[in-house]
Amino acid sequence: MELRHSHLILQHYFIMITIAAPHQILESVFGYTEFRHNQEEIITHLLSGKDAIVLMPTGGGKSLCYQVPALCLPGVTIVVSPLIALMKDQVDALVLSGVKAAFLNSSQSGGEQSFILQQLQRNELKLLYVAPERLVGDDMQFLRYLQDIKLSLFAIDEAHCISQWGHDFRPEYRVLSQLKEKFPAIPIIALTATADAVTKKDIIEQLHVTDYRVFENSFNRPNISYYIKPKRGYYDVLAEYLEEHKDDSGIIYCLSRAATEKLAEDLREDGFSAAAYHAGLEKTIRDERQDLFLKDDIRIMVATIAFGMGINKSNVRFVVHADLPKNIEGYYQETGRAGRDGLPSEAILFYGAGDVMKLKNFAQVDNNPEQTQILLKKLDKMVQLCETKTCRRKYLLNYFGEEAPDYCGSCDNCLSKPELQESTVVAQKILSTVYRLNQKFGMRYVVDILKGSNSEKIREEHKKLSVYGVGKDKPKEEWLHYVKELLHYGYLQASDGEFPVMKLTEKSNNVLFKAEKVFLTAPVQVTIAKEPVIYQQYAYEKELFEELKKLRNKIAHEENVPAYLIFSDSSLLDLATYLPLSKNDLPKISGFGAFKIERYGDQFLEKVQDYCNDHSLDTRIELKQPTRTKKTVTTRERPERATDTKKASYEMYRSGKTISEIATDRGLALTTIEGHLSYYITSGELDVNIFVPKDKQELIAVAVEKFGRLSLKLLKDNLPEEISYGEIRMMIAHLAVGALKRPER
Ligand code: ADP
Ligand code: ZN
């Protein structure tokens, strides 16, 4: 065969030959035991020489989808990435794991660039990251150059940038259309975390891929908990939260530059490690602060949305919105920067009506009513998220066109598990007021009447109404809460228009004139988790964890790289949980690949050994089992390693004890134990049939259908006497299993 003409065939041939198995690379280089989501499927697909379009949320693990094949195949993988900062980060991380990787972009000198090109030519690189402008520059010289290089794969990161319909179009990305023509035998993987249908279609068209598969993942971020709290007096709540998370890194978003400066200063005065970041600062200052944040030398970045693009920091534990975001897209992207390492993280938004007014003004686009309408509509969706009484996660996922169960168990609404209470009198007072005001006034006016307000805006004739002042017994906020509840349950309706007025409904007539009972959610105070969530879920040595972090930071400083690139928080947590005492045990710890073990293993091991000596602790490495890939994904992921109180009850139950025996033994309430065990019904480890006879199951299911699952009391009252609270609770857990199974996509 003539070699010159066999260029294509040869490349095909190379694709088929792999120099290492994916799983082996995953373990030895990256130190992980299991692939996540559909990483393995994607990798196998690429190794068979086909193209892949990958949609995965931030933190999902996109990078491994091309980094592993890059190491399985002979030749070099070209990674196109628009974010220079991120590029350096990724290359640093690879180099720290012993992978030959480099990047090419405009920030480098000519000398540096030609050095890298030489390495490329000598086939010394496994991955080369390239900025799009470097591809197009010099009349696309680089692409011609690549013709003579042994390539394995093209990876297009942030692939939505190729599409005009995406939110971040980069004209240089258009050159990627030529890849298939110029390199027909080299597979392409395009990756993005932005998933709208038009953009997706455009990516496929622009790249001219033909033999491709689209890999989509749920956009759910199960490790992020969502909280929305009132904005009034938020500073104290925030400060208290930060006080309890002093060792964690986080981002606080504000709307304006001035607000970031002010808040950062206030926080610093209160002893927090905080700095401001916004586009108005000089570049050197911005870079410096970003660097300090990445290295954990600044804990809290108080920033405008200018901050975060290209931040790959995996141990951001919380994202706070001190001001309302303009739309859900922005909110989700910003909160998504928390918890890339998969550990529990929190998103907290402080919501106040003042922000809505402010943003409504910003949304006014001069001479463009259509655009204004679009912006206002998006803002409205954001407000609805804040006001909803149902699961926030469900609302978010639905917004992005994804189905979700009613209950996620990790948003403020789900966690507060509001019990419905009989609120007939409260409802009657409100509805009568609306009626007396001839259904012509808004929510706040109604509440002012109830409170007997002396404000000027109250009309004299209204002060003579019988309802004037009948609600003096409750604070204004509570009345507002109840009005919203009545709206939510359809006892009231708000008219359209800028100043919505309260209208009665058929349902309210039953209350006013037929004495029907009303059940509403009582106003609840949701407190944000007191301890950092990781403390609650993992039985680990806290003190050791802190020491390991210190060691990591010391090394990071010496090597001048961000700490999380040395080891992620989850790797250190693994160490502090399983206490490996010999070097042979280190490969079992997540993130400890061969190269890193060689380089850092001893130092970390020594810390663990010392700690165990001082505290007379033995290793727990035998407890470490590879996490099995679960077939049914639940949104409420059960921490595999938790030795929590639920588990204790479960094990006692398995050992043959009855529920009441466990309650006595543990000194806990019967209902608490039932709650514990119901958890294992949800997880599929216990069968509901053990606890609830079949005939009762049916009755309970019907009642749940009718009354919802919010109030156990409501269900109990509407079921036969002999059905117990425990049985209802177990059945609800059982029903949740069906709801939690994500529909096949
Ligand atoms: P994305 O690019 O999708 O935002 P990354 O590729 O940065 O996500 O991955 C997020 C984090 O998850 C990284 O710290 C990465 O090392 C880690 N990770 C990815 N895949 C795995 C896996 N299979 N097992 C353990 N950790 C993983
Ligand atoms: Zn929820």
Side-chain angles (χ1 to χ4, degrees):
M1 201 196 302
E2 216 185 296
L3 214 65
R4 232 163 359 110
H5 293 288
S6 62
H7 183 64
L8 292 184
I9 300 163
L10 256 184
Q11 285 191 332
H12 251 308
Y13 179 64
F14 280 130
I15 300 299
M16 310 310 279
I17 295 183
T18 52
I19 51 182
H23 214 276
Q24 190 195 334
I25 298 284
L26 181 74
E27 283 195 22
S28 67
V29 178
F30 297 97
Y32 300 138
T33 44
E34 299 287 327
F35 281 110
R36 264 191 203 160
H37 307 300
N38 42 15
Q39 281 174 334
E40 190 165 18
E41 245 183 304
I42 295 167
I43 292 167
T44 316
H45 181 78
L46 288 172
L47 291 180
S48 73
K50 294 177 187 151
D51 304 322
I53 313 294
V54 173
L55 297 143
M56 223 187 246
T58 311
K62 286 188 283 299
S63 323
L64 281 196
C65 297
Y66 57 84
Q67 288 171 346
V68 170
L71 298 178
C72 291
L73 294 167
V76 58
T77 289
I78 305 293
V79 186
V80 182
S81 166
L83 304 163
I84 293 184
L86 234 157
M87 212 180 257
K88 178 163 170 9
D89 207 70
Q90 293 248 12
V91 169
D92 284 349
L94 286 168
V95 171
L96 281 175
S97 292
V99 176
K100 296 199 180 81
F103 62 86
L104 266 186
N105 65 40
S106 47
S107 75
Q108 293 161 312
S109 69
E112 270 175 285
Q113 297 199 25
S114 57
F115 175 71
I116 288 159
L117 289 174
Q118 278 165 26
Q119 282 186 308
L120 181 65
Q121 213 154 28
R122 290 198 298 261
N123 202 14
E124 285 172 0
L125 292 173
K126 291 309 294 173
L127 288 112
L128 179 65
Y129 285 72
V130 188
E133 75 271 7
R134 195 66 187 69
L135 282 182
V136 216
D138 292 335
D139 202 18
M140 289 187 270
Q141 196 197 356
F142 185 72
L143 280 191
R144 284 199 298 279
Y145 190 84
L146 285 183
Q147 298 275 8
D148 300 321
I149 309 286
K150 188 152 99 188
L151 301 176
S152 53
L153 176 68
F154 283 110
I156 321 287
D157 208 2
E158 313 287 340
H160 58 273
C161 293
I162 204 172
S163 170
Q164 285 194 45
W165 314 114
H167 54 77
D168 193 17
F169 175 52
R170 311 252 168 157
E172 302 95 355
Y173 257 61
R174 281 291 158 95
V175 70
L176 300 174
S177 299
Q178 302 184 14
L179 290 183
K180 255 292 130 171
E181 186 200 332
K182 291 202 157 69
F183 307 90
I186 308 297
I188 296 179
I189 173 173
L191 312 105
T192 175
T194 318
D196 88 44
V198 193
T199 314
K200 188 168 65 182
K201 189 160 162 274
D202 209 18
I203 294 174
I204 294 166
E205 279 173 15
Q206 295 289 337
L207 289 178
H208 300 301
V209 286
T210 45
D211 197 4
Y212 67 91
R213 245 185 85 184
V214 178
F215 294 87
E216 271 182 78
N217 275 285
S218 166
F219 269 62
N220 184 26
R221 299 286 309 277
N223 62 319
I224 301 182
S225 305
Y226 299 91
Y227 298 89
I228 298 182
K229 315 226 350 133
K231 175 119 174 206
R232 248 179 75 202
Y234 86 95
Y235 184 84
D236 292 339
V237 179
L238 176 65
E240 194 185 332
Y241 176 84
L242 296 176
E243 191 63 49
E244 279 148 13
H245 294 76
K246 268 223 144 123
D247 292 323
D248 294 341
S249 291
I251 307 173
I252 303 178
Y253 283 108
C254 300
L255 201 55
S256 72
R257 295 173 182 184
T260 65
E261 303 263 3
K262 167 92 172 59
L263 183 55
E265 200 178 310
D266 289 349
L267 289 173
R268 272 199 307 274
E269 269 170 24
D270 283 337
F272 296 106
S273 156
Y277 185 106
H278 56 76
L281 294 167
E282 259 179 58
K283 184 163 177 345
T284 46
I285 296 184
R286 266 184 290 151
D287 288 351
E288 185 190 19
R289 289 185 184 170
Q290 173 167 326
D291 203 45
L292 289 170
F293 180 67
L294 293 183
K295 290 186 176 146
D296 290 343
D297 288 337
I298 289 178
R299 290 286 171 187
I300 305 164
M301 199 64 122
V302 188
T304 61
I305 54 171
F307 181 72
M309 254 302 241
I311 296 294
N312 215 358
K313 188 174 168 61
S314 67
N315 63 339
V316 174
R317 290 272 72 83
F318 57 87
V319 169
V320 173
H321 282 90
D323 297 312
L324 189 67
K326 290 198 219 25
N327 52 48
I328 302 238
E329 284 87 350
Y331 171 74
Y332 205 63
Q333 193 167 34
E334 283 138 30
T335 53
R337 296 191 177 123
R340 272 166 173 267
D341 53 11
L343 292 178
S345 306
E346 287 161 354
I348 303 160
L349 187 158
F350 292 101
Y351 165 66
D355 282 352
V356 184
M357 294 315 294
K358 219 188 283 178
L359 289 174
K360 271 190 181 161
N361 286 333
F362 287 162
Q364 302 297 329
V365 185
D366 285 346
N367 303 323
N368 195 340
E370 282 149 40
Q371 185 69 12
T372 306
Q373 265 332 97
I374 293 174
L375 295 180
L376 284 176
K377 212 167 181 162
K378 288 203 180 256
L379 175 61
D380 193 49
K381 292 280 180 193
M382 186 69 223
V383 172
Q384 277 178 32
L385 168 70
C386 298
E387 302 251 331
T388 185
K389 293 283 159 49
T390 59
C391 175
R392 311 261 192 217
R393 186 183 308 278
K394 180 184 169 74
Y395 183 96
L396 288 164
L397 291 175
N398 287 170
Y399 180 85
F400 293 113
E402 203 176 301
E403 282 183 51
D406 291 339
Y407 179 86
C408 79
S410 52
C411 73
D412 51 356
N413 283 345
C414 287
L415 285 171
S416 66
K417 280 190 223 108
E419 293 268 333
L420 291 186
Q421 286 182 351
E422 205 206 301
S423 316
T424 312
V425 175
V426 169
Q428 282 168 344
K429 285 183 181 172
I430 296 172
L431 297 176
S432 318
T433 309
V434 172
Y435 179 72
R436 297 278 173 227
L437 291 170
N438 292 327
Q439 312 183 49
K440 283 192 178 137
F441 290 82
M443 179 186 308
R444 287 183 179 273
Y445 196 87
V446 170
V447 171
D448 282 344
I449 296 294
L450 282 161
K451 287 289 289 175
S453 161
N454 281 319
S455 148
E456 286 170 20
K457 57 177 194 202
I458 304 297
R459 297 192 194 166
E460 280 311 310
E461 70 261 32
H462 291 156
K463 291 188 178 164
K464 298 191 191 89
L465 294 175
S466 58
V467 285
Y468 182 72
V470 291
K472 281 205 164 106
D473 57 323
K474 288 191 193 338
K476 196 168 165 175
E477 283 69 33
E478 255 181 53
W479 284 111
L480 282 170
H481 162 85
Y482 282 117
V483 174
K484 288 178 189 168
E485 280 288 292
L486 290 173
L487 281 164
H488 178 70
Y489 288 104
Y491 293 99
L492 280 176
Q493 213 181 327
S495 66
D496 292 335
E498 208 176 337
F499 303 104
V501 301
M502 297 293 111
K503 302 264 183 208
L504 298 173
T505 66
E506 205 160 299
K507 237 176 143 180
S508 46
N509 287 338
N510 294 339
V511 181
L512 282 174
F513 307 114
K514 297 188 188 150
E516 197 185 272
K517 285 187 177 175
V518 180
F519 291 86
L520 300 175
T521 316
V524 273
Q525 278 290 314
V526 181
T527 46
I528 302 169
K530 277 269 179 237
E531 268 187 299
V533 205
I534 43 176
Y535 295 2
Q536 301 161 4
Q537 296 200 354
Y538 298 88
Y540 71 101
E541 300 299 321
K542 192 174 166 202
E543 225 177 285
L544 175 60
F545 183 49
E546 295 309 322
E547 274 183 42
L548 294 170
K549 275 195 198 169
K550 275 188 203 133
L551 172 61
R552 175 182 67 177
N553 289 1
K554 183 175 143 268
I555 300 175
H557 272 136
E558 283 163 10
E559 306 199 355
N560 198 26
V561 288
Y564 63 89
L565 288 188
I566 309 274
F567 285 115
S568 69
D569 280 11
S570 52
S571 297
L572 301 188
L573 202 55
D574 247 22
L575 285 178
T577 305
Y578 297 106
L579 311 176
L581 295 178
S582 98
K583 211 162 174 175
N584 292 339
D585 292 334
L586 284 183
K588 295 188 191 138
I589 301 297
S590 164
F592 278 71
F595 192 80
K596 284 193 175 171
I597 292 179
E598 224 22 76
R599 187 149 162 182
Y600 307 114
D602 288 335
Q603 299 178 65
F604 283 91
L605 207 52
E606 203 175 304
K607 277 267 179 281
V608 179
Q609 287 164 342
D610 287 352
Y611 183 89
C612 287
N613 268 337
D614 293 350
H615 294 78
S616 313
L617 286 173
D618 199 5
T619 181
R620 296 177 201 144
I621 196 75
E622 70 282 354
L623 298 174
K624 172 93 179 155
Q625 280 153 1
T627 42
R628 268 165 291 118
T629 8
K630 281 165 280 171
K631 282 287 171 267
T632 47
V633 188
T634 61
T635 35
R636 197 161 32 146
E637 280 195 3
R638 199 164 70 82
E640 302 278 336
R641 299 170 272 192
T643 48
D644 53 14
T645 172
K646 291 190 205 88
K647 188 144 190 189
S649 298
Y650 174 65
E651 304 219 302
M652 289 171 85
Y653 181 80
R654 292 280 304 253
S655 77
K657 290 203 153 107
T658 65
I659 296 182
S660 59
E661 280 167 353
I662 303 171
T664 317
D665 281 6
R666 301 198 60 196
L668 294 171
L670 206 67
T671 51
T672 309
I673 308 299
E674 283 167 357
H676 289 170
L677 296 182
S678 70
Y679 179 84
Y680 291 89
I681 292 183
T682 316
S683 74
E685 280 150 278
L686 287 175
D687 188 349
V688 69
N689 293 317
I690 311 170
F691 301 98
V692 194
K694 274 265 188 289
D695 51 331
K696 287 186 179 176
Q697 285 183 25
E698 261 163 51
L699 288 174
I700 302 172
V702 171
V704 167
E705 185 84 1
K706 196 162 164 200
F707 300 102
R709 57 189 77 176
L710 288 183
S711 168
L712 288 184
K713 182 162 188 317
L714 188 63
L715 288 169
K716 178 88 173 83
D717 289 350
N718 284 283
L719 280 163
E721 195 70 44
E722 62 271 19
I723 295 181
S724 72
Y725 273 112
E727 287 168 328
I728 298 174
R729 182 170 282 146
M730 298 296 187
M731 189 59 196
I732 287 180
H734 173 67
L735 292 171
V737 180
L740 282 169
K741 279 194 190 125
R742 198 176 292 135
E744 298 284 324
R745 289 169 69 89

